[in-house]
Amino acid sequence: MRSHEALQMMAPEATDNEQALVIFIDEACSPVHVLPLRGRPGHVALPMRTIVQEALVRQCRFLLLYHSHGAGDPSPSPDDILTTRLLCRLLKPLHIRLADHVIYAGKRRFSFRQSGLL
């Protein structure tokens, strides 16, 4: 799944509500499941237990997290950083890797991997 394909799964209309997609990827680097999440302005909750359970049930090796910021600034909030680190810590003993967490705001994006935060 390419970035633009994942973004098309999010609501096409502009919204202040944050949204996220968790893409579950198997050992062959193929997406096997997508979990869409809807939030509210300034926040989208990541159900950690559900994410970990889905990754185990689907025998994933990687997760990819896409997340929108409705305010137009893709910079991660302190909560975005803490949540990403928590997810990585939960996945590590299971030998599942968070491939990236990409925040989109309009046409701008922020990659945790490219920024050295993963």
Side-chain angles (χ1 to χ4, degrees):
M1 177 175 294
R2 300 186 194 287
S3 299
H4 69 277
E5 293 170 323
L7 290 175
Q8 287 174 352
M9 295 181 72
M10 291 190 184
E13 70 278 355
T15 178
D16 289 335
N17 293 336
E18 290 194 11
Q19 303 172 64
L21 290 175
V22 183
I23 302 171
F24 299 84
I25 302 168
D26 66 13
E27 195 157 317
C29 294
S30 298
V32 294
H33 182 63
V34 176
L35 177 64
L37 302 165
R38 304 264 184 236
R40 55 181 168 74
H43 181 76
V44 61
L46 295 180
M48 297 293 183
R49 183 175 298 195
T50 301
I51 292 169
V52 171
Q53 286 174 337
E54 287 290 332
L56 290 171
V57 166
R58 297 176 191 281
Q59 300 179 359
C60 292
R61 288 276 297 148
F62 307 98
L63 293 182
L64 184 56
L65 176 59
Y66 284 93
H67 161 206
S68 70
H69 273 187
D73 181 4
S75 302
S77 69
D79 190 47
D80 292 334
I81 295 168
L82 288 173
T83 301
T84 302
R85 289 180 178 161
L86 174 60
L87 183 57
C88 287
R89 280 196 308 271
L90 292 171
L91 296 172
K92 186 175 182 175
L94 305 172
H95 305 287
I96 301 170
R97 181 176 166 203
L98 182 61
D100 204 350
H101 177 178
V102 180
I103 301 174
Y104 282 85
K107 295 186 182 226
R108 298 171 49 207
R109 74 181 98 175
F110 178 91
S111 164
F112 276 70
R113 176 121 350 248
Q114 287 180 344
S115 299
L117 292 175
L118 279 182

